[in-house]
Amino acid sequence: NNVKILSHIVNDAEFKKFVIIGGGDVDADFATTKTSAGTLNSRYASLVHGGIEVPYILNSAQMIKKSSLYKAALYLGRASGVEPQVPLTYKDLRIQKEQHVMTDSQRVDAINSGVVATRFVPQLGIVVNQQVNTLQLNDFLINPDGSSPELSVERIEAQLNREISSNSRVLFIGNNLASASQAVVESFTIGYLLSKVAEVGVSDNLILDFKNVKAERSGTSWFVSYDFQANTPINKIFHTGTIIDPSI
């Protein structure tokens, strides 16, 4: 069923969507979860590993085990509650206890294998380790074909293309050729892209920059292309302190 949903997204959906899938629950399931991620191998599919425990509604001192599908639902809800450019990396899922507490090497393995996992971070609690999808071509944030192993980057592209397509067809389709020149079509696209540019340190948005907006007509159809720089996530930060001799 998961593969059927993914097939619909890739082959049939008018606009790109995303599927969030539950993997294994405990340490012994981790190898199977990684294999499943490799089988899915898609920019549109995310696989969430690890069952959790939640308080029993009638007795908060009692914990009830929930599967990775429950965690996947939490992950989906968290993603749905933020703008596409807001990564879920280091975001709290309100998890109190995990069935599989990963080691450092397992967390690295999860990221490299395209598996969404959680970890404990002081001051934050149990959070998403990194918002990866199952795409196995994951050595770089942006691949030569435009795909990305980061869900937030894929959501930015899907949202941007969906908005421009939906708004442009309402404006142009149904009119005649004399109503829309190349300059008019390009001007609309440029204006819309400008409205989606973030101002660093001031306002957040989908993209940081764009260029090469080009409209070409073939018969009764317009084809518009553009390049953009996505407002990608910050996944790591490193500080290095060097002690010095105060007498020097």
Side-chain angles (χ1 to χ4, degrees), residues 98-110:
E98 297 194 85
Q99 292 186 40
H100 179 193
V101 179
M102 286 188 166
T103 63
D104 289 349
S105 61
Q106 284 180 324
R107 291 201 298 268
V108 172
D109 199 10

Side-chain angles (χ1 to χ4, degrees), residues 18 34 214:
F18 303 92
K34 290 188 294 180
K214 185 177 182 180

Side-chain angles (χ1 to χ4, degrees), residues 194-211:
L194 281 171
S195 73
K196 296 301 173 181
V197 175
E199 188 174 354
V200 178
V202 178
S203 62
D204 197 19
N205 220 318
L206 293 175
I207 62 177
L208 297 180
D209 196 10
F210 68 90
K211 60 181 179 179

Side-chain angles (χ1 to χ4, degrees), residues 82-87 152-153 155-156 204-207 231-233:
V82 297
E83 294 292 325
Q85 72 275 10
V86 179
S152 62
V153 177
R155 290 186 67 200
I156 288 171
D204 197 19
N205 220 318
L206 293 175
I207 62 177
N231 189 4
T232 56

